[in-house]
Amino acid sequence: RWDVMNNTINILIVEDNQTFIDVLGMFLSEYKGSLLVTWETCTSLAAAIQRLEEPGIDVCLFDLNLPNGKGIETLLRLYDAYPEVPVVVLTADVSEELKKICLSLGRADDFMGKFELGTSVKVGEFVWRLCNAARSFDKRSEVARQYRDLKAKITSEKELCLKPDDSSISVESDVKARNPKKDWRRVI
């Protein structure tokens, strides 16, 4: 859980392009505000999910196109594994349609184009947007809890529907038991 009072924000950068990782690191190094900005990098969705098993990440800066996933499907897979983690999508595809999908699904807290950094988005605003996403942790945690509860309920209901139950009474004998006077040979 991120708190501005601790004066540090820990970012997990999920990006497979090493050149862009280096540029992003230089960009974040320019930040001269009151927060200490630290970051780690992962180059695949699998590595990011593994890293998120450990505590210490306040926000995930996430590219949608990775070696083991492309587009919105990648974001959905991350959300399925860690719905409580605040996510800022940083991608080369800046289409309004993709932005609307990511934000309206509630899977991303913010959305930026890679080429906005340093031009329309300065480093101070960039860090502020990351912090703003990190503040959403409480809200995301509640939604994540509801998501996991619903997922568990659906899974258990599926298992009940698929599990053979030797103690169950057949529909025919159950109906006959409730209506013993009716001649069931004509109905069934």
Side-chain angles (χ1 to χ4, degrees), residues 73-89:
E73 174 255 337
T74 312
L75 181 61
L76 294 175
R77 287 175 49 204
L78 177 70
Y79 184 85
D80 194 48
Y82 288 96
E84 68 279 358
V85 174
V87 175
V88 173
V89 171

Side-chain angles (χ1 to χ4, degrees), residues 42-114:
C42 290
T43 58
S44 70
L45 178 61
I49 289 172
Q50 184 176 5
R51 171 54 188 94
L52 289 170
E53 290 175 3
E54 301 297 321
I57 298 300
D58 298 312
V59 64
C60 186
L61 188 57
F62 194 75
D63 182 19
L64 294 178
N65 294 311
L66 298 167
N68 54 345
K70 300 283 183 225
I72 192 74
E73 174 255 337
T74 312
L75 181 61
L76 294 175
R77 287 175 49 204
L78 177 70
Y79 184 85
D80 194 48
Y82 288 96
E84 68 279 358
V85 174
V87 175
V88 173
V89 171
L90 185 64
T91 186
D93 182 355
V94 292
S95 71
E96 282 300 311
E97 182 180 346
L98 182 61
K99 181 178 182 176
K100 282 181 187 177
I101 291 170
C102 290
L103 296 174
S104 68
L105 286 175
R107 303 313 195 249
D109 297 282
D110 202 345
F111 186 99
M112 288 182 267
K114 289 181 177 181

Side-chain angles (χ1 to χ4, degrees), residues 24-39:
L24 195 53
M26 288 186 294
F27 184 70
L28 286 168
S29 297
E30 293 174 11
Y31 179 70
K32 303 296 184 224
S34 59
L35 284 175
L36 173 62
V37 179
T38 63
W39 62 90

